[in-house]
Amino acid sequence: MTAVVTGASGTIGGAIAVALAAAGCPVVALGRDDERLAALAAGITAAGGACTTVAAELAGRALPVGRVVLVNAAGVHGPLAPVAEVAVEEWDRVIGVNLLAAVARTRAVLPGMLASGWGRIVNVSSAAGVAPAGRFNAPYATSKAALNRFTAHVAAEVAGTGVTAHALHPGDVVSRMHGDIARQAAAVPRLAGYATWARQTSAHGDDPRAAGRAVVRLLDDAYAHRVNGWFLWPDGDRRTPFPLG
């Protein structure tokens, strides 16, 4: 099987790529930061794994067919602002990266998965997509809620085929997205709650390798089929996973 990881030049995507490579999967790593992708590939190769890097915009011509683990880890947060202040163009950007890109990648690999009788689709989501609605976070939370629903529909369609689909919250990780939130929240009184979250995550953030372990666990057929269409947490031990359907 081959693992395809989008957003692999980021902290979470990179950790998942490393974990899958260590589990024996040749990795196709997609991202927008060439230097970080090169460093990722070098590290995987030095550890005895195999990694091919692909610029994100070339993904449509580079995705493998057949038995594939697809991890959609690319994501952006977008603006922290009231709905009335967020431009439609920002909604387009957030929905495009967090939802529609995952839809496109899924469509690209799903026929091959079904033909081979095996596949895994893992959409890196967020607790924001299942939490009660709050203030100033509508684009991001909406994109993740939609990604969760998309995951549930895919899971329902592929049930019994050998293919499974899952949403994964990777934890509160110090990453580029964390930095974006921290920058937006700095010195803006109405965003004090987000500033507090950013400080707490900086001090006590989750290990991104936990997300990698969660994805590797899905290589086990019995476990993956039991949690097809579920929302998962890092390592499966922080909170109880639950069905999305």
Side-chain angles (χ1 to χ4, degrees):
M1 71 190 74
T2 302
V4 177
V5 182
T6 76
S9 56
T11 302
I12 294 166
I16 292 172
V18 168
L20 286 167
C25 297
V27 173
V28 179
L30 285 71
R32 298 191 179 278
D33 188 321
D34 292 341
E35 290 186 5
R36 289 174 66 100
L37 280 181
L40 172 70
I44 288 174
T45 301
C51 181
T52 302
T53 63
V54 180
E57 59 269 18
L58 300 177
R61 288 176 280 173
L63 295 183
V65 296
R67 294 166 63 89
V68 172
V69 181
L70 171 65
V71 181
N72 289 305
V76 295
H77 194 277
L80 287 168
V83 170
E85 297 178 13
V86 179
V88 172
E89 291 78 9
E90 285 291 338
W91 280 89
D92 287 342
R93 183 175 71 93
V94 174
I95 297 293
V97 174
N98 294 352
L99 172 64
L100 297 182
V103 173
R105 306 286 185 264
T106 299
R107 291 186 71 251
V109 301
L110 188 54
M113 290 180 174
L114 293 171
S116 71
W118 195 95
R120 299 287 182 267
I121 299 165
V122 184
N123 293 319
V124 175
S125 186
S126 170
V130 296
R135 303 173 67 196
F136 312 135
N137 197 28
Y140 180 74
T142 299
S143 72
K144 293 302 186 179
L147 182 64
N148 292 341
R149 194 62 185 166
F150 170 68
T151 305
H153 279 281
V154 173
E157 290 183 8
V158 302
T161 67
V163 181
T164 63
H166 317 268
L168 171 66
H169 174 62
D172 295 331
V173 175
V174 176
S175 63
R176 288 183 176 180
M177 187 178 293
H178 165 269
D180 178 31
I181 294 170
R183 284 189 295 273
Q184 292 190 63
V188 180
R190 71 185 183 191
L191 299 179
Y194 293 97
T196 299
W197 173 86
R199 288 193 299 271
Q200 291 173 341
T201 300
S202 294
H204 306 290
D206 293 314
D207 187 343
R209 292 175 295 183
R213 293 190 292 267
V215 174
V216 168
R217 190 179 180 193
L218 291 168
L219 300 180
D220 177 78
D221 286 338
Y223 174 70
H225 287 283
R226 179 168 68 83
V227 298
N228 181 40
W230 284 32
F231 188 91
L232 307 174
W233 306 85
D235 285 340
D237 59 3
R238 284 165 41 103
R239 301 188 190 182
T240 303
F242 59 88
L244 285 167

